[in-house]
Amino acid sequence: MKKSVISERFKSILTAATVAMATSYLLVLSECIIAGNMIGEEAVAAIALVAPVIPFLQFIGEMIAAGTFALISYAGGKGDEEEINRLYSQAMTLAVAVGFVLTLLFVVFRVQILSYWDVSADLMTYADAYYAGVMIRPIIAFVELFLMPLLLIEGQEKRNLVASVVKVIAGIALEIVLCNSLGLFGISLATTISLAIALVIEASYLFTKDCPLKYKFYLNFNKLRKVFSLSICVAIPELFLTLLPFVVTSYLITNFGESIIAIFAMINTIINLAVAIFYGLDDVIQSMGCLYLGEKNIHGIKKVMNLCIKAAIAEGVLMATVLIIFADKVALAFGITEPRTLELAVSAIRIYSVFLIALFVTMTYSFYYLYINRKFMSV
């Protein structure tokens, strides 16, 4: 494969994957911004309480998807179409089944989950309203998360981009409209609806004559073990983002009061967005790096990784620069206006931004070592 072909393929997958991953967290970002400006800081704080649910879903989803698509790319490099269909069928079965079970659990244990927080009645009312729109999301989010990288492997970058753009535009528009009539529940429900719209667009590929994938119920515990062993390192950042709000929010409420939660909600959203943008590079390593590994194409692997490192540095520098320069504008966008709180928010943004480049490069090398079976180096 020619160098220019690898470069063009890299750019195509990176663009589609980054947009696809980022739009899901852009919707969470827009939720905070719209809630902060249309309802108030307390609504943003309520989103922060429920926020761990989002990376938790991402963590469970990555445990299914990441290893599956690495193995699909390996099989593609070897030309094993039957193995590709087995892995696809297994992952689709798990995505639907686990999504259904989690949706049911989120509904049944709604009160118990929300009662973890010892907050004021007003804040809990907002949190409950936001959670009501989130608890029906898992089954939609799991299948949509599975289909995004699948489309990249199948060369459907344009369809992926269309789904992502429609998702974010429809989501933001619906958040504004439904917030006026349903408040914070409307904002949360709007994001769930936009994910469902994107899912329909992505799933339409499976019913076209160009799709070679054929679903047939399949579960193999040895293959599941391989999938989970590859997935765990990819999913660890999402597990961290799930646990972080529980620890930090409890500490902040105990020592500084509820008013400071809005700042953490803002920083946590930015962290999630940064990790989501990075996962675009992970999708490139999965779809191209693992494919070349299956082909034993050393030149292709080296080329992809060199491009990934350059892209990681560029993305880190760009995001850090934008956040440092526009830190005050970002804080204001979240509805933080009280002078002292605003000052703390701006400082927090700029301190965090400094470490973005190191985060992007370290995660790139970590996932590379994972996919070439150097799990110790990855960890």
Side-chain angles (χ1 to χ4, degrees):
M1 188 173 276
K2 294 181 180 179
K3 180 179 179 180
S4 60
V5 175
I6 294 176
S7 300
E8 289 304 310
R9 179 70 174 148
F10 175 88
K11 291 176 185 176
S12 177
I13 294 178
L14 178 62
T15 300
T18 301
V19 171
M21 293 303 299
T23 49
S24 295
Y25 282 99
L26 280 174
L27 288 176
V28 179
L29 180 66
S30 66
E31 284 180 341
C32 291
I33 292 173
I34 291 169
N37 286 276
M38 295 185 68
I39 302 175
E41 287 185 21
E42 200 165 37
V44 179
I47 292 176
L49 295 181
V50 184
V53 170
I54 308 302
F56 173 73
L57 293 179
Q58 187 79 15
F59 166 70
I60 300 297
E62 289 291 351
M63 285 298 294
I64 299 170
T68 295
F69 291 114
L71 293 176
I72 284 178
S73 293
Y74 290 146
K78 296 176 180 178
D80 191 343
E81 294 297 327
E82 289 187 5
E83 178 69 357
I84 290 173
N85 271 297
R86 285 193 291 266
L87 290 166
Y88 155 71
S89 298
Q90 178 173 262
M92 182 63 81
T93 300
L94 286 175
V96 173
V98 176
F100 176 79
V101 170
L102 275 180
T103 299
L104 185 62
L105 290 175
F106 278 12
V107 172
V108 172
F109 294 102
R110 176 178 181 174
V111 174
Q112 289 82 353
I113 291 171
L114 290 172
S115 63
Y116 174 83
W117 307 108
D118 183 18
V119 296
S120 66
D122 288 342
L123 184 54
M124 182 54 69
T125 299
Y126 280 127
D128 183 69
Y130 181 75
Y131 183 86
V134 171
M135 66 182 182
I136 59 176
R137 194 177 299 177
I139 190 168
I140 298 171
F142 275 20
V143 179
E144 203 257 341
L145 177 65
F146 168 68
L147 289 177
M148 281 193 296
L150 179 67
L151 292 180
L152 298 178
I153 292 175
E154 292 294 308
Q156 295 292 313
E157 292 94 340
K158 289 184 179 179
R159 189 185 298 267
N160 206 328
L161 276 171
V162 169
S164 301
V165 171
V166 170
K167 175 169 62 178
V168 75
I169 293 175
I172 293 173
L174 286 170
E175 284 170 7
I176 295 171
V177 172
L178 294 181
C179 181
N180 280 319
S181 56
L182 300 174
L184 197 53
F185 168 64
I187 291 177
S188 181
L189 180 63
T191 299
T192 302
I193 293 172
S194 68
L195 287 174
I197 293 171
L199 173 59
V200 171
I201 296 172
E202 292 163 353
S204 65
Y205 168 70
L206 300 176
F207 302 96
T208 64
K209 62 180 181 179
D210 296 325
C211 178
L213 299 169
K214 305 298 179 186
Y215 176 82
K216 184 177 181 180
F217 179 80
Y218 178 81
L219 280 178
N220 182 290
F221 289 103
N222 284 330
K223 284 191 174 62
L224 282 176
R225 180 180 55 79
K226 292 180 181 178
V227 166
F228 293 151
S229 68
L230 284 171
S231 296
I232 185 63
C233 291
V234 178
I236 281 175
E238 296 297 341
L239 180 61
F240 168 78
L241 292 174
T242 300
L243 298 176
L244 180 67
F246 281 109
V247 177
V248 175
T249 305
S250 297
Y251 174 80
L252 291 176
I253 291 174
T254 301
N255 293 276
F256 299 98
E258 296 176 0
S259 61
I260 206 72
I261 300 177
I263 295 178
F264 176 70
M266 174 193 67
I267 293 297
N268 192 50
T269 303
I270 293 173
I271 293 174
N272 277 277
L273 179 60
V275 172
I277 290 173
F278 166 79
Y279 273 125
L281 284 171
D282 174 48
D283 285 342
V284 172
I285 299 173
Q286 280 181 10
S287 56
M288 294 186 70
C290 293
L291 175 68
Y292 294 143
L293 186 60
E295 294 175 346
K296 302 187 186 307
N297 183 346
I298 303 303
H299 167 71
I301 295 171
K302 288 182 177 179
K303 178 62 179 177
V304 168
M305 284 311 301
N306 285 336
L307 290 170
C308 280
I309 294 302
K310 290 177 181 177
I313 294 172
E315 288 179 351
V317 169
L318 178 61
M319 189 170 182
T321 302
V322 170
L323 287 172
I324 289 170
I325 294 174
F326 298 103
D328 55 336
K329 303 293 189 301
V330 172
L332 288 169
F334 277 82
I336 299 174
T337 56
E338 196 277 322
R340 178 54 181 163
T341 307
L342 179 61
E343 181 183 349
L344 291 173
V346 170
S347 297
I349 291 172
R350 288 174 174 158
I351 291 170
Y352 167 71
S353 300
V354 174
F355 299 96
L356 278 175
I357 300 172
L359 173 68
F360 278 37
V361 174
T362 301
M363 290 181 71
T364 301
Y365 276 116
S366 176
F367 288 3
Y368 165 68
Y369 285 125
L370 170 68
Y371 294 132
I372 63 171
N373 295 318
R374 298 291 190 273
K375 294 185 178 67
F376 177 77
M377 293 291 292
S378 175
V379 174

